[in-house]
Amino acid sequence: MITMLLGIVAGMIGVLETLLDVVSQQGYTPTADWHAYGAIAVSALGIVISLFARRHPKTSGVLLYACGILGFIFAKWSYIPPGIVFFIAATIALFFDMREQPS
């Protein structure tokens, strides 16, 4: 559950921060290059991947690490906050068993 929430938060932060970065760098004219589109796509993909974290935690953990790294490649320094949250969510998914145990 915590992995899913962190992934959703990181994806939303990534989309919003990339859009704000595009607007502020271009003088409030929303023209973007392929870096911004890539960062937005990676953030949206991270949201979708985090929805599958309860059923497949190991796979989603690896894919969330990939989303964090790809976000750094596309958006450079502006992707630090969502990238860190993606890394935290991926670490929780990979190394902690958060699935509910039958009682």
Side-chain angles (χ1 to χ4, degrees), residues 1-78:
M1 182 75 169
I2 190 74
T3 304
M4 182 177 69
L5 292 175
L6 285 174
I8 291 170
V9 168
M12 290 186 343
I13 291 171
V15 168
L16 289 174
E17 191 164 332
T18 304
L19 288 174
L20 288 174
D21 188 40
V22 167
V23 170
S24 68
Q25 282 185 351
Q26 301 297 329
Y28 295 102
T29 56
T31 58
D33 59 350
W34 63 275
H35 291 289
Y37 292 129
I40 291 171
V42 165
S43 297
L45 185 65
I47 292 173
V48 172
I49 290 169
S50 67
L51 294 176
F52 294 106
R54 290 189 74 165
R55 289 189 191 164
H56 310 288
K58 304 295 181 191
T59 306
S60 63
V62 170
L63 292 174
L64 287 175
Y65 273 130
C67 285
I69 292 169
L70 285 174
F72 283 127
I73 291 171
F74 283 124
K76 308 282 189 239
W77 296 107
S78 69

